Amino acid sequence: MQALGRHLLLELFDCDAEALNSLDTVKASMVEAAKRAQATIVDVVFHEFNPFGISGVVVIAESHLAIHTWPEYRYAAGDVLQPQVAADYLVEQLGAARASVVELQRGIFVNHPRKLLHKPAGTPVATTPS
């Protein structure tokens, strides 16, 4: 079997509720996590809910980083493109006392006749003139 990439599902428990409810903190942490993962950031979109909670995504050339926060439960969940570095950074920044990570392989091809090639994290995106 060959896979085009890895996908980590991250659950954070007993987090700092203030951090989870701060749009600035969550957004900055997610962008920095993408940078530490050496990903190529394409777009950043976040939404702050009333009375609390944040959902957001950092779109990267390699995939995406997404997060959903529930400050009232001191819980956050999301997925990160690749390295453990990004997950570890988010655990630290959001003050999680416990974390759970599930790793999934994406784009699995069974008995594929050729080696699958894909763009490694941090590789610049090729653009064509419009």
Side-chain angles (χ1 to χ4, degrees):
M1 276 194 299
Q2 299 181 62
L4 290 175
R6 296 167 52 210
H7 206 68
L8 300 182
L9 300 178
L10 179 64
E11 290 185 283
L12 304 175
F13 302 90
D14 303 321
C15 295
D16 177 338
E18 284 187 35
L20 291 183
N21 205 38
S22 167
L23 179 62
D24 291 338
T25 299
V26 172
K27 188 176 187 179
S29 296
M30 291 290 287
V31 168
E32 182 61 25
K35 289 177 181 176
R36 289 179 182 224
Q38 298 181 350
T40 307
I41 297 172
V42 175
D43 201 1
V44 177
V45 178
F46 281 79
H47 178 77
E48 188 171 18
F49 293 97
N50 187 2
F52 34 68
I54 296 165
S55 288
V57 64
V58 178
V59 179
I60 57 178
E62 300 81 5
S63 184
H64 67 279
L65 285 81
I67 191 166
H68 310 282
T69 72
W70 291 266
E72 68 275 29
Y73 299 110
R74 297 179 53 203
Y75 174 80
D79 50 73
V80 294
L81 159 75
Q82 195 187 50
Q84 191 67 39
V85 173
D88 291 344
Y89 178 76
L90 290 172
V91 168
E92 175 189 321
Q93 289 302 302
L94 299 178
R98 303 184 289 129
S100 169
V101 177
V102 174
E103 182 176 335
L104 304 173
Q105 291 188 338
R106 296 176 36 190
I108 296 175
F109 291 81
V110 179
N111 300 324
H112 195 273
R114 297 179 314 198
K115 181 172 173 59
L116 297 174
L117 302 175
H118 63 283
K119 185 173 108 32
T123 305
V125 178
T127 59
T128 56
S130 45

